[in-house]
Amino acid sequence: MKVGVLALQGDFREHLKAAEECGHTPIDVRRVSELNEVDALILPGGESTTIVHLAQNFGLYQPIKGAIAQGLPVYGSCAGMILLADRIVDGVKDQKTFGGLDITVRRNAFGRQVDSFESDLTFNGTSLHAVFIRAPWVEQVGAGVEVLSTAADHAVAVRQGNLLATSFHPELTEDLAVHRYFFEEICKGR
Amino acid sequence: MSEATGTARVKRGMAEMLKGGVIMDVVNVEQAKIAEDAGACAVMALERVPADIRAQGGVARMSDPDMIQKIQAAVSIPVMAKVRIGHFVEAQILESLGVDYIDESEVLTPADYTNHIDKWNFKIPFVCGATNLGEALRRINEGAAMIRSKGEAGTGDVSNAMTHMRTIGGEIRRLTSMREDELYVAAKELQAPYALVKEVAETGKLPVVLFTAGGIATPADAALMMQMGADGVFIGSGIFKSGDPAHRAAACVKATTFFNDAKVLADVSRGLGDAMVGINVADIPVPHRLAERGW
Protein backbone atom coordinates (compact mmCIF):
# COMPACT_ATOMS: atom_id res chain seq x y z
CA MET A 1 0.00 0.00 0.00
CA LYS A 2 1.24 3.51 -0.79
CA VAL A 3 1.05 5.58 2.39
CA GLY A 4 1.35 9.33 1.97
CA VAL A 5 2.52 11.58 4.78
CA LEU A 6 1.71 15.28 4.49
CA ALA A 7 5.26 16.69 4.43
CA LEU A 8 4.72 20.43 4.73
CA GLN A 9 6.03 20.87 8.29
CA GLY A 10 6.44 18.78 11.45
CA ASP A 11 7.64 15.26 12.25
CA PHE A 12 6.67 13.72 8.91
CA ARG A 13 9.93 11.74 8.68
CA GLU A 14 9.01 9.70 11.77
CA HIS A 15 5.64 8.78 10.24
CA LEU A 16 7.29 7.85 6.92
CA LYS A 17 9.60 5.56 8.87
CA ALA A 18 6.70 4.01 10.81
CA ALA A 19 4.81 3.31 7.56
CA GLU A 20 7.91 1.68 6.09
CA GLU A 21 8.45 -0.44 9.20
CA CYS A 22 4.87 -1.68 8.87
CA GLY A 23 5.72 -2.90 5.35
CA HIS A 24 4.19 -0.11 3.27
CA THR A 25 5.62 2.25 0.67
CA PRO A 26 5.95 5.73 2.20
CA ILE A 27 5.48 8.83 0.03
CA ASP A 28 6.08 12.50 0.91
CA VAL A 29 2.99 14.52 0.00
CA ARG A 30 3.60 18.18 -0.88
CA ARG A 31 1.67 18.36 -4.15
CA VAL A 32 -1.72 17.31 -5.50
CA SER A 33 -0.05 14.85 -7.90
CA GLU A 34 1.50 13.05 -4.90
CA LEU A 35 -1.80 13.09 -3.00
CA ASN A 36 -3.52 11.43 -5.97
CA GLU A 37 -1.13 8.47 -5.81
CA VAL A 38 -1.72 7.39 -2.23
CA ASP A 39 -3.97 4.71 -0.72
CA ALA A 40 -3.89 6.29 2.74
CA LEU A 41 -2.70 9.56 4.25
CA ILE A 42 -1.08 10.53 7.56
CA LEU A 43 -1.20 14.08 8.93
CA PRO A 44 1.87 14.45 11.19
CA GLY A 45 2.56 16.37 14.37
CA GLY A 46 3.76 19.93 13.97
CA GLU A 47 2.12 23.34 14.08
CA SER A 48 -1.43 23.10 12.79
CA THR A 49 -1.51 26.80 11.82
CA THR A 50 1.68 26.42 9.75
CA ILE A 51 0.48 23.25 8.03
CA VAL A 52 -2.91 24.74 7.06
CA HIS A 53 -1.23 27.91 5.85
CA LEU A 54 1.05 25.94 3.53
CA ALA A 55 -1.74 23.62 2.38
CA GLN A 56 -3.85 26.63 1.37
CA ASN A 57 -0.97 28.35 -0.38
CA PHE A 58 0.01 25.32 -2.40
CA GLY A 59 -3.45 24.23 -3.51
CA LEU A 60 -3.64 21.17 -1.27
CA TYR A 61 -6.42 22.34 1.03
CA GLN A 62 -9.47 21.58 -1.13
CA PRO A 63 -7.98 18.37 -2.63
CA ILE A 64 -7.33 16.94 0.87
CA LYS A 65 -10.83 17.95 2.00
CA GLY A 66 -12.19 16.26 -1.13
CA ALA A 67 -10.16 13.09 -0.60
CA ILE A 68 -11.45 12.84 2.98
CA ALA A 69 -15.03 13.28 1.75
CA GLN A 70 -14.48 10.47 -0.77
CA GLY A 71 -13.38 8.09 1.98
CA LEU A 72 -9.57 8.17 1.83
CA PRO A 73 -8.29 6.61 5.10
CA VAL A 74 -6.54 9.37 7.08
CA TYR A 75 -4.72 9.23 10.42
CA GLY A 76 -3.69 12.42 12.24
CA SER A 77 -1.46 12.71 15.33
CA CYS A 78 -1.57 15.85 17.52
CA ALA A 79 -1.61 18.69 14.95
CA GLY A 80 -3.08 16.06 12.64
CA MET A 81 -5.97 15.55 15.07
CA ILE A 82 -6.67 19.29 15.01
CA LEU A 83 -6.61 19.25 11.20
CA LEU A 84 -9.19 16.42 11.08
CA ALA A 85 -11.59 18.00 13.59
CA ASP A 86 -14.81 19.61 12.39
CA ARG A 87 -14.60 22.17 15.22
CA ILE A 88 -11.72 23.64 17.24
CA VAL A 89 -11.58 25.82 20.34
CA ASP A 90 -8.61 27.97 21.32
CA GLY A 91 -7.37 28.14 17.75
CA VAL A 92 -6.32 31.32 16.02
CA LYS A 93 -9.19 33.40 14.67
CA ASP A 94 -10.93 31.64 11.78
CA GLN A 95 -8.42 28.78 11.84
CA LYS A 96 -9.37 26.34 9.12
CA THR A 97 -9.19 22.56 9.30
CA PHE A 98 -9.69 19.82 6.71
CA GLY A 99 -12.42 18.40 8.95
CA GLY A 100 -14.28 15.14 8.55
CA LEU A 101 -14.21 13.94 12.15
CA ASP A 102 -17.34 14.97 14.07
CA ILE A 103 -15.39 16.17 17.13
CA THR A 104 -14.54 19.41 18.92
CA VAL A 105 -10.85 19.66 19.73
CA ARG A 106 -9.21 22.02 22.21
CA ARG A 107 -5.74 23.13 21.09
CA ASN A 108 -2.89 22.99 23.65
CA ALA A 109 -5.47 21.59 26.08
CA PHE A 110 -2.92 19.95 28.39
CA GLY A 111 -1.02 23.24 28.70
CA ARG A 112 2.29 24.63 27.51
CA GLN A 113 5.55 22.75 26.99
CA VAL A 114 6.27 22.50 30.78
CA ASP A 115 3.11 20.38 30.98
CA SER A 116 4.07 18.05 28.11
CA PHE A 117 4.25 14.49 29.44
CA GLU A 118 4.58 10.80 28.74
CA SER A 119 2.27 8.23 30.26
CA ASP A 120 0.92 4.69 29.89
CA LEU A 121 -2.59 4.41 28.56
CA THR A 122 -5.01 1.98 26.97
CA PHE A 123 -5.57 2.14 23.22
CA ASN A 124 -8.43 0.03 21.88
CA GLY A 125 -8.00 -2.39 24.79
CA THR A 126 -4.21 -2.77 24.72
CA SER A 127 -1.73 -0.80 26.76
CA LEU A 128 0.87 1.50 25.22
CA HIS A 129 3.27 4.27 26.20
CA ALA A 130 2.15 7.64 24.87
CA VAL A 131 3.99 10.94 24.40
CA PHE A 132 1.93 14.14 24.64
CA ILE A 133 3.53 17.41 23.46
CA ARG A 134 1.54 20.63 23.86
CA ALA A 135 -1.24 18.22 23.06
CA PRO A 136 -4.88 18.84 22.16
CA TRP A 137 -7.74 16.79 23.58
CA VAL A 138 -11.21 16.01 22.31
CA GLU A 139 -13.75 18.15 24.09
CA GLN A 140 -16.88 16.72 22.47
CA VAL A 141 -17.59 13.73 20.25
CA GLY A 142 -20.41 13.34 17.77
CA ALA A 143 -22.72 10.32 17.65
CA GLY A 144 -20.73 8.26 15.14
CA VAL A 145 -17.37 8.65 16.85
CA GLU A 146 -15.69 5.77 18.68
CA VAL A 147 -13.37 6.69 21.58
CA LEU A 148 -10.27 4.45 21.62
CA SER A 149 -8.29 6.08 24.47
CA THR A 150 -8.86 8.57 27.24
CA ALA A 151 -6.53 10.62 29.46
CA ALA A 152 -7.42 13.23 32.07
CA ASP A 153 -11.11 12.40 31.49
CA HIS A 154 -10.94 13.39 27.85
CA ALA A 155 -10.83 11.37 24.66
CA VAL A 156 -7.30 11.32 23.22
CA ALA A 157 -7.77 8.73 20.45
CA VAL A 158 -10.89 8.60 18.29
CA ARG A 159 -12.12 6.92 15.13
CA GLN A 160 -14.98 7.68 12.81
CA GLY A 161 -15.24 5.58 9.66
CA ASN A 162 -11.96 5.85 7.78
CA LEU A 163 -10.59 8.62 9.98
CA LEU A 164 -8.35 8.07 13.02
CA ALA A 165 -6.87 10.74 15.31
CA THR A 166 -4.66 10.71 18.41
CA SER A 167 -3.58 13.56 20.71
CA PHE A 168 -0.30 11.75 21.30
CA HIS A 169 2.68 10.83 19.10
CA PRO A 170 3.15 7.08 18.54
CA GLU A 171 5.71 8.02 15.86
CA LEU A 172 8.07 9.18 18.63
CA THR A 173 8.09 5.75 20.29
CA GLU A 174 9.07 2.27 19.15
CA ASP A 175 5.51 0.98 19.64
CA LEU A 176 3.71 0.90 16.29
CA ALA A 177 0.34 -0.35 17.63
CA VAL A 178 -1.57 2.75 16.50
CA HIS A 179 -0.05 2.69 13.01
CA ARG A 180 -0.82 -1.04 12.73
CA TYR A 181 -4.41 -0.42 13.84
CA PHE A 182 -4.72 2.25 11.13
CA PHE A 183 -3.25 0.05 8.39
CA GLU A 184 -4.92 -3.22 9.44
CA GLU A 185 -8.34 -2.11 10.67
CA ILE A 186 -9.03 1.05 8.66
CA CYS A 187 -7.05 0.65 5.43
CA LYS A 188 -7.98 -3.03 5.16
CA GLY A 189 -8.42 -4.20 1.57
CA ARG A 190 -6.69 -1.26 -0.07
CA MET B 1 -2.31 7.26 35.20
CA SER B 2 1.34 8.00 36.05
CA GLU B 3 2.56 11.01 34.13
CA ALA B 4 6.18 12.09 33.66
CA THR B 5 6.83 15.69 32.64
CA GLY B 6 10.13 17.29 31.60
CA THR B 7 11.63 14.02 30.30
CA ALA B 8 14.31 14.04 27.61
CA ARG B 9 11.74 12.50 25.25
CA VAL B 10 9.15 15.28 25.64
CA LYS B 11 11.86 17.96 25.46
CA ARG B 12 13.45 16.53 22.32
CA GLY B 13 10.03 15.61 20.93
CA MET B 14 8.93 19.23 21.11
CA ALA B 15 11.80 20.10 18.74
CA GLU B 16 10.72 17.29 16.40
CA MET B 17 7.38 19.10 15.97
CA LEU B 18 9.17 22.28 14.83
CA LYS B 19 11.03 20.53 12.00
CA GLY B 20 10.62 21.88 8.52
CA GLY B 21 9.56 25.19 10.01
CA VAL B 22 10.76 28.74 10.53
CA ILE B 23 11.20 30.27 14.00
CA MET B 24 11.07 34.06 13.82
CA ASP B 25 12.47 36.74 16.14
CA VAL B 26 9.74 39.18 17.22
CA VAL B 27 9.91 42.21 19.50
CA ASN B 28 6.20 42.93 20.04
CA VAL B 29 2.66 41.53 19.74
CA GLU B 30 2.12 42.99 16.28
CA GLN B 31 5.20 41.24 14.89
CA ALA B 32 4.28 37.99 16.66
CA LYS B 33 0.88 38.01 14.94
CA ILE B 34 2.45 38.74 11.55
CA ALA B 35 4.81 35.78 12.12
CA GLU B 36 1.96 33.44 13.12
CA ASP B 37 -0.16 34.50 10.14
CA ALA B 38 2.79 33.94 7.82
CA GLY B 39 3.10 30.33 9.02
CA ALA B 40 5.98 30.54 11.53
CA CYS B 41 6.14 27.33 13.59
CA ALA B 42 7.27 29.32 16.68
CA VAL B 43 8.39 32.81 17.66
CA MET B 44 11.39 33.99 19.66
CA ALA B 45 10.31 36.86 21.93
CA LEU B 46 13.07 39.40 22.55
CA GLU B 47 13.38 43.14 23.15
CA ARG B 48 15.92 43.86 20.45
CA VAL B 49 16.71 41.83 17.36
CA PRO B 50 20.40 40.99 16.92
CA ALA B 51 20.91 43.76 14.32
CA ASP B 52 19.84 46.34 16.92
CA ILE B 53 21.87 44.75 19.72
CA ARG B 54 24.85 45.03 17.40
CA ALA B 55 24.08 48.66 16.45
CA GLN B 56 23.28 49.89 19.96
CA GLY B 57 25.92 47.95 21.89
CA GLY B 58 25.84 47.64 25.69
CA VAL B 59 24.93 44.57 27.72
CA ALA B 60 22.10 42.51 26.21
CA ARG B 61 19.96 40.59 28.74
CA MET B 62 16.78 38.50 29.08
CA SER B 63 13.67 40.42 27.93
CA ASP B 64 11.06 41.97 30.25
CA PRO B 65 8.61 39.26 31.44
CA ASP B 66 5.72 41.62 30.60
CA MET B 67 6.74 41.74 26.98
CA ILE B 68 7.16 37.95 26.80
CA GLN B 69 3.76 37.32 28.43
CA LYS B 70 1.98 39.70 26.08
CA ILE B 71 3.34 37.70 23.17
CA GLN B 72 2.36 34.40 24.84
CA ALA B 73 -1.18 35.75 25.18
CA ALA B 74 -1.33 36.96 21.58
CA VAL B 75 -0.33 33.80 19.67
CA SER B 76 -1.17 30.10 19.82
CA ILE B 77 2.15 28.85 18.42
CA PRO B 78 5.10 28.07 20.74
CA VAL B 79 6.94 31.04 22.26
CA MET B 80 10.68 30.86 22.91
CA ALA B 81 12.86 33.37 24.75
CA LYS B 82 16.57 33.93 25.25
CA VAL B 83 18.78 33.86 28.34
CA ARG B 84 22.44 34.80 28.65
CA ILE B 85 24.95 31.94 28.49
CA GLY B 86 25.35 30.55 32.02
CA HIS B 87 22.60 32.73 33.54
CA PHE B 88 20.55 30.02 35.22
CA VAL B 89 18.41 32.49 37.17
CA GLU B 90 17.16 34.12 33.96
CA ALA B 91 16.29 30.54 32.92
CA GLN B 92 14.41 29.92 36.19
CA ILE B 93 12.40 33.09 35.52
CA LEU B 94 11.52 32.06 31.97
CA GLU B 95 10.53 28.59 33.18
CA SER B 96 8.15 30.18 35.68
CA LEU B 97 6.57 32.18 32.83
CA GLY B 98 5.90 28.93 30.97
CA VAL B 99 7.79 29.77 27.79
CA ASP B 100 7.95 26.72 25.52
CA TYR B 101 11.69 26.72 24.80
CA ILE B 102 14.69 28.60 26.22
CA ASP B 103 17.52 29.70 23.92
CA GLU B 104 20.79 29.92 25.85
CA SER B 105 22.13 32.42 23.39
CA GLU B 106 25.42 33.97 22.40
CA VAL B 107 23.42 36.90 20.98
CA LEU B 108 23.02 38.16 24.56
CA THR B 109 26.04 39.14 26.64
CA PRO B 110 27.39 36.02 28.40
CA ALA B 111 26.94 35.81 32.19
CA ASP B 112 29.56 33.06 32.62
CA TYR B 113 32.69 32.73 30.53
CA THR B 114 33.42 29.19 31.73
CA ASN B 115 30.20 27.27 32.31
CA HIS B 116 26.93 26.94 30.45
CA ILE B 117 23.65 26.29 32.31
CA ASP B 118 23.05 22.78 33.70
CA LYS B 119 19.98 22.24 31.56
CA TRP B 120 19.02 18.89 33.09
CA ASN B 121 17.74 20.85 36.12
CA PHE B 122 14.85 22.30 34.10
CA LYS B 123 11.52 20.97 32.84
CA ILE B 124 11.66 23.44 30.00
CA PRO B 125 13.72 22.34 27.00
CA PHE B 126 16.74 24.37 25.86
CA VAL B 127 18.17 25.10 22.44
CA CYS B 128 21.86 26.05 22.25
CA GLY B 129 24.12 27.24 19.47
CA ALA B 130 27.14 25.38 18.13
CA THR B 131 29.88 26.11 15.61
CA ASN B 132 31.17 22.53 15.46
CA LEU B 133 30.28 18.98 16.51
CA GLY B 134 32.26 19.04 19.76
CA GLU B 135 30.43 22.17 20.92
CA ALA B 136 27.06 20.64 19.93
CA LEU B 137 27.77 17.45 21.90
CA ARG B 138 28.97 19.40 24.96
CA ARG B 139 25.67 21.30 24.94
CA ILE B 140 23.67 18.05 24.54
CA ASN B 141 25.67 16.57 27.44
CA GLU B 142 24.56 19.56 29.55
CA GLY B 143 20.94 18.80 28.62
CA ALA B 144 20.24 20.81 25.45
CA ALA B 145 17.24 19.21 23.66
CA MET B 146 17.82 21.00 20.35
CA ILE B 147 20.89 22.48 18.62
CA ARG B 148 21.09 25.35 16.18
CA SER B 149 24.22 25.87 14.18
CA LYS B 150 25.46 29.42 14.84
CA GLY B 151 25.83 32.01 12.16
CA GLU B 152 26.78 35.61 12.65
CA ALA B 153 23.51 37.00 14.03
CA GLY B 154 22.26 40.41 12.94
CA THR B 155 24.34 40.60 9.78
CA GLY B 156 22.19 39.17 6.99
CA ASP B 157 25.40 37.46 5.86
CA VAL B 158 24.83 33.70 5.54
CA SER B 159 28.50 32.73 5.16
CA ASN B 160 29.12 31.87 8.81
CA ALA B 161 25.99 29.73 9.05
CA MET B 162 27.26 27.90 5.96
CA THR B 163 30.70 27.36 7.50
CA HIS B 164 29.23 25.94 10.68
CA MET B 165 26.71 23.66 8.94
CA ARG B 166 29.54 22.31 6.78
CA THR B 167 31.75 21.83 9.83
CA ILE B 168 29.11 19.98 11.86
CA GLY B 169 28.06 17.85 8.87
CA GLY B 170 31.67 17.09 7.93
CA GLU B 171 32.60 16.06 11.45
CA ILE B 172 29.56 13.76 11.66
CA ARG B 173 30.47 12.13 8.34
CA ARG B 174 34.05 11.66 9.53
CA LEU B 175 32.87 9.83 12.67
CA THR B 176 30.69 7.46 10.65
CA SER B 177 33.71 6.36 8.61
CA MET B 178 35.91 5.58 11.63
CA ARG B 179 36.81 2.24 13.12
CA GLU B 180 35.28 1.71 16.56
CA ASP B 181 38.69 1.73 18.25
CA GLU B 182 39.38 5.19 16.81
CA LEU B 183 36.36 6.78 18.47
CA TYR B 184 38.11 7.21 21.83
CA VAL B 185 40.65 9.57 20.35
CA ALA B 186 37.92 11.23 18.27
CA ALA B 187 36.06 11.98 21.52
CA LYS B 188 39.23 13.44 23.01
CA GLU B 189 39.80 15.63 19.96
CA LEU B 190 36.18 16.80 19.85
CA GLN B 191 36.29 17.44 23.62
CA ALA B 192 32.98 15.62 23.85
CA PRO B 193 31.72 12.62 25.88
CA TYR B 194 32.59 9.25 24.36
CA ALA B 195 29.02 7.90 24.67
CA LEU B 196 27.62 10.74 22.52
CA VAL B 197 30.45 10.43 20.00
CA LYS B 198 29.74 6.71 19.67
CA GLU B 199 26.01 7.38 19.22
CA VAL B 200 26.67 9.90 16.43
CA ALA B 201 29.12 7.48 14.75
CA GLU B 202 26.41 4.79 14.74
CA THR B 203 23.42 6.89 13.67
CA GLY B 204 25.13 9.44 11.42
CA LYS B 205 23.22 12.31 12.99
CA LEU B 206 22.93 14.33 16.17
CA PRO B 207 20.73 12.79 18.87
CA VAL B 208 18.59 15.96 18.79
CA VAL B 209 17.05 18.17 16.10
CA LEU B 210 19.51 20.50 14.32
CA PHE B 211 18.25 23.90 13.18
CA THR B 212 20.38 26.67 11.75
CA ALA B 213 20.54 30.35 12.68
CA GLY B 214 22.38 33.57 12.05
CA GLY B 215 22.52 35.72 8.94
CA ILE B 216 19.57 34.16 7.08
CA ALA B 217 17.80 36.97 5.19
CA THR B 218 16.15 35.53 2.06
CA PRO B 219 14.05 32.50 1.02
CA ALA B 220 17.09 31.28 -0.92
CA ASP B 221 19.22 31.45 2.26
CA ALA B 222 16.63 29.37 4.12
CA ALA B 223 16.52 26.76 1.33
CA LEU B 224 20.33 26.70 1.19
CA MET B 225 20.49 25.75 4.85
CA MET B 226 17.78 23.09 4.40
CA GLN B 227 19.70 21.58 1.48
CA MET B 228 22.78 21.55 3.72
CA GLY B 229 20.87 19.27 6.08
CA ALA B 230 19.26 21.64 8.60
CA ASP B 231 15.96 20.43 10.11
CA GLY B 232 14.60 24.00 10.09
CA VAL B 233 15.69 27.63 10.38
CA PHE B 234 15.70 30.52 12.79
CA ILE B 235 15.33 33.93 11.17
CA GLY B 236 16.17 36.87 13.39
CA SER B 237 16.71 40.33 12.03
CA GLY B 238 16.19 39.13 8.43
CA ILE B 239 12.40 39.48 8.48
CA PHE B 240 11.47 42.51 10.54
CA LYS B 241 14.48 44.55 9.35
CA SER B 242 13.32 44.15 5.74
CA GLY B 243 11.00 46.31 3.64
CA ASP B 244 7.92 44.04 3.66
CA PRO B 245 8.08 41.69 6.69
CA ALA B 246 4.72 39.88 6.20
CA HIS B 247 5.50 39.04 2.59
CA ARG B 248 9.10 37.99 3.32
CA ALA B 249 8.06 35.91 6.34
CA ALA B 250 5.53 33.92 4.28
CA ALA B 251 8.09 33.49 1.49
CA CYS B 252 10.70 32.09 3.89
CA VAL B 253 8.15 29.63 5.32
CA LYS B 254 7.35 28.35 1.82
CA ALA B 255 11.03 28.16 0.87
CA THR B 256 11.78 26.07 3.97
CA THR B 257 9.13 23.49 2.98
CA PHE B 258 9.90 23.46 -0.77
CA PHE B 259 13.67 23.82 -0.31
CA ASN B 260 14.36 21.37 -3.12
CA ASP B 261 12.06 22.94 -5.72
CA ALA B 262 13.81 25.75 -7.61
CA LYS B 263 10.59 26.75 -9.37
CA VAL B 264 8.79 27.39 -6.08
CA LEU B 265 11.89 29.16 -4.75
CA ALA B 266 11.92 31.45 -7.81
CA ASP B 267 8.23 32.26 -7.33
CA VAL B 268 8.50 33.09 -3.65
CA SER B 269 11.65 35.18 -4.19
CA ARG B 270 9.80 37.62 -6.50
CA GLY B 271 8.89 41.14 -5.43
CA LEU B 272 9.86 40.86 -1.79
CA GLY B 273 11.02 44.48 -1.54
CA ASP B 274 14.24 45.43 0.19
CA ALA B 275 16.13 42.77 2.14
CA MET B 276 17.84 43.90 5.32
CA VAL B 277 20.88 45.95 4.39
CA GLY B 278 23.31 43.67 6.16
CA ILE B 279 26.93 43.75 7.19
CA ASN B 280 29.69 41.56 5.80
CA VAL B 281 30.97 39.33 8.60
CA ALA B 282 34.51 40.01 7.37
CA ASP B 283 34.03 43.72 8.20
CA ILE B 284 33.21 43.00 11.86
CA PRO B 285 36.27 43.05 14.11
CA VAL B 286 36.80 39.66 15.75
CA PRO B 287 35.97 40.77 19.34
CA HIS B 288 32.51 41.84 18.13
CA ARG B 289 31.61 38.53 16.49
CA LEU B 290 28.82 36.81 18.42
CA ALA B 291 29.26 33.29 17.06
CA GLU B 292 32.59 32.99 18.87
CA ARG B 293 30.88 33.23 22.26
CA GLY B 294 30.29 29.80 23.85
CA TRP B 295 32.81 27.23 25.03
Side-chain angles (χ1 to χ4, degrees):
Chain A
M1 189 166 72
K2 285 186 180 173
V3 177
V5 181
L6 189 63
L8 297 174
Q9 191 270 326
D11 70 338
F12 50 85
R13 241 178 291 153
E14 284 65 27
H15 278 293
L16 290 163
K17 188 164 161 271
E20 193 168 14
E21 280 172 20
C22 290
H24 301 290
T25 309
I27 298 176
D28 292 29
V29 173
R30 293 190 183 85
R31 295 175 182 79
V32 175
S33 58
E34 291 157 345
L35 177 68
N36 291 338
E37 273 182 54
V38 305
D39 303 305
L41 181 67
I42 297 177
L43 308 176
E47 273 310 307
S48 57
T49 50
T50 304
I51 295 171
V52 164
H53 175 85
L54 286 163
Q56 286 179 308
N57 273 287
F58 287 91
L60 272 171
Y61 180 74
Q62 285 302 337
I64 290 176
K65 246 177 126 66
I68 291 171
Q70 283 171 20
L72 181 73
V74 184
Y75 164 45
S77 69
C78 196
M81 172 187 263
I82 297 167
L83 295 172
L84 283 176
D86 280 343
R87 298 167 299 277
I88 44 179
V89 281
D90 271 7
V92 299
K93 195 167 167 281
D94 302 325
Q95 185 176 343
K96 283 206 158 62
T97 65
F98 301 124
L101 261 177
D102 184 9
I103 56 174
T104 304
V105 163
R106 180 174 292 278
R107 279 188 74 194
N108 305 332
F110 288 95
R112 294 181 180 279
Q113 174 59 18
V114 261
D115 307 304
S116 291
F117 65 99
E118 37 188 316
S119 160
D120 293 324
L121 53 76
T122 306
F123 172 80
N124 193 36
T126 60
S127 111
L128 59 77
H129 190 70
V131 181
F132 291 82
I133 294 172
R134 284 170 50 94
W137 68 35
V138 179
E139 198 114 318
Q140 237 184 1
V141 295
V145 178
E146 183 186 358
V147 175
L148 299 168
S149 299
T150 57
D153 297 325
H154 284 87
V156 293
V158 291
R159 176 192 178 172
Q160 183 179 19
N162 282 348
L163 305 179
L164 173 69
T166 62
S167 303
F168 52 90
H169 294 280
E171 74 279 11
L172 292 184
T173 68
E174 306 300 310
D175 189 342
L176 295 175
V178 175
H179 287 88
R180 288 194 199 286
Y181 175 86
F182 177 59
F183 297 134
E184 288 162 20
E185 301 295 324
I186 299 182
C187 303
K188 195 166 42 184
R190 281 178 184 257
Chain B
M1 194 173 72
S2 67
E3 290 182 5
T5 56
T7 61
R9 180 137 64 181
V10 299
K11 289 175 172 177
R12 292 178 182 187
M14 168 78 211
E16 302 285 348
M17 300 311 139
L18 301 171
K19 283 189 303 193
V22 182
I23 299 168
M24 300 181 193
D25 279 1
V26 297
V27 300
N28 56 41
V29 166
E30 190 196 358
Q31 290 185 357
K33 285 188 167 155
I34 291 173
E36 183 175 50
D37 288 345
C41 67
V43 290
M44 176 75 70
L46 74 180
E47 277 169 347
R48 295 186 287 172
V49 294
D52 290 334
I53 292 174
R54 198 176 275 293
Q56 295 162 8
V59 174
R61 308 180 179 88
M62 176 189 81
S63 298
D64 185 332
D66 261 351
M67 173 267 178
I68 294 169
Q69 284 186 310
K70 277 183 197 151
I71 289 175
Q72 284 177 308
V75 296
S76 66
I77 56 178
V79 176
M80 301 183 166
K82 289 181 193 287
V83 299
R84 287 178 267 178
I85 290 173
H87 206 313
F88 49 85
V89 172
E90 286 186 347
Q92 291 162 5
I93 293 170
L94 291 188
E95 183 172 54
S96 81
L97 299 181
V99 301
D100 295 296
Y101 239 92
I102 294 175
D103 184 2
E104 186 181 18
S105 177
E106 68 283 0
V107 167
L108 305 183
T109 308
D112 187 330
Y113 282 89
T114 309
N115 302 288
H116 282 248
I117 295 171
D118 178 356
K119 293 166 272 287
W120 297 112
N121 284 334
F122 291 83
K123 280 195 170 181
I124 288 288
F126 282 73
V127 54
C128 288
T131 56
N132 57 53
L133 180 59
E135 195 179 356
L137 295 181
R138 287 194 292 280
R139 297 295 86 79
I140 293 166
N141 195 44
E142 294 156 1
M146 175 178 183
I147 294 293
R148 52 176 174 73
S149 70
K150 292 179 190 171
E152 195 50 40
T155 60
D157 179 347
V158 80
S159 63
N160 263 29
M162 190 64 169
T163 304
H164 300 144
M165 279 305 288
R166 281 202 188 274
T167 303
I168 293 170
E171 287 171 330
I172 290 174
R173 287 189 295 278
R174 181 167 167 268
L175 285 186
T176 61
S177 68
M178 283 182 155
R179 282 166 53 100
E180 227 180 298
D181 62 3
E182 294 167 341
L183 295 175
Y184 300 102
V185 171
K188 185 191 79 176
E189 288 169 356
L190 288 167
Q191 298 178 46
Y194 171 73
L196 287 174
V197 169
K198 189 160 183 286
E199 186 179 344
V200 171
E202 281 166 6
T203 61
K205 62 183 196 59
L206 288 182
V208 302
V209 165
L210 172 67
F211 268 50
T212 190
I216 294 153
T218 68
D221 290 348
L224 178 69
M225 290 297 116
M226 294 299 287
Q227 288 196 24
M228 286 301 298
D231 289 318
V233 298
F234 284 85
I235 307 186
S237 321
I239 287 173
F240 289 100
K241 286 288 169 190
S242 73
D244 185 352
H247 193 179
R248 183 169 295 266
C252 289
V253 168
K254 292 173 193 163
T256 302
T257 294
F258 290 88
F259 65 89
N260 260 333
D261 187 329
K263 207 167 160 292
V264 172
L265 296 176
D267 280 345
V268 303
S269 298
R270 285 174 217 278
L272 290 180
D274 296 332
M276 70 179 283
V277 177
I279 316 167
N280 294 323
V281 173
D283 296 340
I284 302 171
V286 172
H288 298 292
R289 291 188 194 168
L290 304 175
E292 292 173 21
R293 295 171 171 175
W295 15 92

